[in-house]
């Protein structure tokens, strides 16, 4: 019999526009929460206007909402998978990411992808830890100063 914490926990989807998409927006398995790729969609399911910066902020806000269902925040994120439609937008993504994350940074993979929804410029999936959190203040802390890597 598997340990009690090995069960899969799937909370209700916070974004109702994704109900018919046949995937879980997030699930918890043991000490990890896996969040499906999130686009820059507002509460109505419409891609936000304002370009890459606005969509990246919306994606990260959406990730925050989903993680909160598990009692977590972006500080618990240990991995990001980033899909960007135009490689020229990567520097914009980096700039916005610094508003939401701080050292030690989550591990990350970024690729240029053809995204499925017209106007979508970015999609991000995440893995968060229930038992550990990254520490630091965005843009101000050297991760090696406190013995970090």
């Amino acid at each position: 019999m598997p340990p009690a914490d090995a069960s899969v926990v799937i909370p209700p989807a916070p974004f109702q526009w994704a109900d018919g998409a046949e995937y879980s927006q997030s699930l918890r398995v043991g000490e990890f929460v896996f969040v499906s790729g999130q686009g820059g969609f507002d509460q109505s399911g419409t891609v936000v206007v304002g370009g890459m910066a606005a969509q990246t902020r919306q994606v990260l806000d959406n990730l925050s909402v989903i993680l909160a269902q598990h009692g977590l925040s972006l500080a618990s994120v240990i991995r990001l998978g980033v899909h960007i439609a135009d490689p020229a937008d990567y520097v914009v993504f980096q700039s916005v990411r610094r508003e939401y994350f701080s050292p030690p940074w989550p591990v990350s993979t970024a690729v240029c992808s053809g995204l499925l929804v017209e106007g979508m410029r970015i999609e991000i999936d995440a893995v968060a830890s229930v038992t550990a959190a990254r520490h630091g203040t965005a843009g101000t802390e050297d991760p090696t100063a406190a013995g970090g890597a």
Side-chain angles (χ1 to χ4, degrees), residues 17-18 21 23-25 35-41 47-48 51-52 54-60 62-63 66 79-86 89-90 93 97 108-126:
W17 45 261
Y23 71 94
S24 297
Q25 290 179 14
V35 181
S36 293
Q38 298 297 307
F41 300 106
V47 175
V48 298
M52 182 63 166
Q55 285 192 29
T56 302
R57 285 185 186 96
Q58 185 67 55
V59 168
L60 295 172
N62 291 350
L63 285 173
I66 292 169
R79 184 196 179 283
L80 294 173
V82 182
H83 295 263
I84 297 174
D86 182 348
D89 281 337
Y90 184 72
F93 160 72
R97 178 179 55 189
S108 182
T109 300
V111 297
C112 185
S113 299
L115 300 173
L116 296 175
V117 176
E118 183 71 31
M120 201 169 146
R121 303 177 72 116
I122 187 166
E123 182 173 4
I124 302 175
D125 63 86

Side-chain angles (χ1 to χ4, degrees), residues 24-112:
S24 297
Q25 290 179 14
S26 69
L27 57 85
R28 177 181 172 175
V29 180
E31 69 177 81
F32 297 103
V33 171
F34 299 87
V35 181
S36 293
Q38 298 297 307
F41 300 106
D42 62 19
Q43 290 295 325
S44 71
T46 303
V47 175
V48 298
V49 295
M52 182 63 166
Q55 285 192 29
T56 302
R57 285 185 186 96
Q58 185 67 55
V59 168
L60 295 172
D61 289 344
N62 291 350
L63 285 173
S64 293
V65 168
I66 292 169
L67 289 168
Q69 289 189 293
H70 297 274
L72 302 174
S73 71
L74 291 174
S76 300
V77 172
I78 56 174
R79 184 196 179 283
L80 294 173
V82 182
H83 295 263
I84 297 174
D86 182 348
D89 281 337
Y90 184 72
V91 295
V92 177
F93 160 72
Q94 286 180 300
S95 176
V96 174
R97 178 179 55 189
R98 285 190 293 272
E99 296 172 17
Y100 289 79
F101 293 97
S102 59
W105 306 101
V107 297
S108 182
T109 300
V111 297
C112 185

